[in-house]
Amino acid sequence: MLNTTRSWGAVARVFHWVLGAAIIGMIAYGWWMNNFPARADRFFYRSIHADIGYLVLLFTALRLVWKFFNPTPALPAGAPVWERAFARLNQWSLYVLTFVVVMLGWAHSGAHKPDYADFFGLFRVPQFTVENRQNAGDFEHWHIYAAYVLLALIALHVLGALYHRFIKKDGVLERMVDGRVQ
């Protein structure tokens, strides 16, 4: 369940893979949603996107809390300083940009009329921006641009994992897949 100094625990691995799939799915869904012709049910699709976005924010926060109370496995011995620095920079950039993307989406929700605050019909999510058409458009554009930057960081993250798996063959990817330590 818990992380060790050598491998990721089950909880961290579940957070990683579920959030990874959710974020990539949200980017794909957002692209699809913004590129299909205007339809009467467009608001429904945007509301679902917002609801899942709120969940991504919650689970990203929970993942960071979990990370705070668990050790981060060290990179294999002999990893160059630049590699360690690049890995940490990419990982923290993923966290920060995930928050930025979600918060921009949330800001868009409050500025948009009607807002996307109805969480799966269960309750209303408090909004921290006020209705403003210009701001809604600006928040939406920045949300989309930041999502593309996040997608680029995800691509770098995946390339790094593949580099460790197929070139370095040092077990870094396996630690996140099944917890194995080489």
Side-chain angles (χ1 to χ4, degrees):
M1 293 283 292
L2 301 175
N3 298 350
T4 69
T5 57
R6 299 186 63 215
S7 188
W8 298 100
V11 173
R13 291 194 318 269
V14 168
F15 272 134
H16 177 270
W17 293 108
V18 169
L19 279 168
I23 291 166
I24 291 168
M26 285 290 281
I27 292 170
Y29 184 75
W31 181 88
W32 170 80
M33 188 178 59
N34 284 319
N35 288 288
F36 69 77
R39 301 166 28 164
D41 57 358
R42 185 177 184 124
F43 181 80
F44 168 77
Y45 292 112
R46 288 178 167 254
S47 292
I48 295 298
H49 183 77
D51 292 345
I52 297 169
Y54 298 132
L55 290 173
V56 166
L57 180 64
L58 173 64
F59 286 114
T60 301
L62 291 173
R63 180 171 187 200
L64 284 172
V65 169
W66 185 260
K67 184 177 180 59
F68 179 76
F69 289 106
N70 281 272
T72 298
L75 286 173
V81 172
W82 68 266
E83 194 174 287
R84 292 172 190 275
F86 190 71
R88 295 294 179 238
L89 176 64
N90 181 261
Q91 289 165 0
W92 282 105
S93 296
L94 286 167
Y95 289 126
V96 169
L97 212 51
T98 297
F99 273 107
V100 167
V101 169
V102 174
M103 294 306 291
L104 285 167
W106 194 355
H108 168 69
S109 171
H112 185 270
K113 183 179 179 177
D115 64 29
Y116 308 110
D118 185 34
F119 186 76
F120 294 110
L122 300 173
F123 58 88
R124 288 191 50 80
V125 175
Q127 301 297 297
F128 62 90
T129 55
V130 296
E131 182 186 320
N132 181 303
R133 186 182 183 117
Q134 178 63 46
N135 288 350
D138 292 344
F139 289 136
E140 183 177 28
H141 290 296
W142 282 106
H143 174 71
I144 292 168
Y145 298 144
Y148 283 131
V149 174
L150 179 58
L151 186 59
L153 288 173
I154 291 168
L156 283 174
H157 188 69
V158 169
L159 287 172
L162 294 174
Y163 166 75
H164 281 282
R165 172 69 175 102
F166 295 109
I167 295 174
K168 294 195 81 172
K169 299 178 183 176
D170 57 10
V172 167
L173 178 60
E174 289 78 3
R175 296 186 314 182
M176 187 51 83
V177 172
D178 60 15
R180 274 187 291 148
V181 178
Q182 286 186 335

